[in-house]
Amino acid sequence: AGGFLVRFSEPMSYQLAWCSPEWGPFPEGLSQEGMSQDGLSQEQEKVWGVTRTDKGVRVTCNGVEILNQEISEEVCSRANMLKTWDTYWAREIAFVVFPVNDTAS
């Protein structure tokens, strides 16, 4: 089912598991009242929503869309994943994992 990872650093970043090895910043330009320049809520408590779409992944933070990423061969640049990324991202979601070293939830 692919994977979506969030790094709660400054600035916050994300990675698409089984797609790209790079951690990237959340898109800018989502400025709305109560949102920081990088589009993330300035509220201390953040309620995250991660949704698989037909073509990728959609992420919200406190009800505001901060990422709507299509998953494709063009996006999935990891050399050893070019031929297999669609195998992972085409699967049904079976479970959600929060790692043992997770300190944000």
Side-chain angles (χ1 to χ4, degrees):
F4 176 76
L5 295 85
V6 176
R7 187 179 282 165
F8 292 94
S9 56
E10 191 60 42
M12 292 181 70
S13 57
Y14 73 96
Q15 181 186 42
L16 300 170
W18 304 107
C19 176
S20 178
E22 293 87 23
W23 287 86
F26 285 94
E28 293 185 21
L30 299 172
S31 298
Q32 297 179 10
E33 187 174 330
M35 304 301 278
S36 64
Q37 185 178 9
D38 61 5
L40 297 173
S41 173
Q42 293 177 351
E43 297 292 324
Q44 180 68 26
E45 182 175 330
K46 292 177 175 52
V47 178
W48 291 84
V50 180
T51 306
R52 275 290 306 276
T53 65
D54 289 342
K55 296 184 179 184
V57 62
R58 178 178 182 262
V59 181
T60 60
C61 180
N62 290 2
V64 176
E65 182 177 280
I66 59 170
L67 181 71
N68 194 340
Q69 179 65 62
E70 184 174 327
I71 306 299
S72 66
E73 187 170 309
E74 188 174 305
V75 173
C76 297
S77 60
R78 181 182 285 180
N80 63 345
M81 285 292 141
L82 283 176
K83 296 180 181 175
T84 59
W85 67 269
D86 55 342
T87 301
Y88 294 99
W89 282 89
R91 293 178 180 167
E92 292 292 320
I93 298 171
F95 55 89
V96 176
V97 176
F98 292 92
V100 176
N101 62 350
D102 172 20
T103 60
S105 59

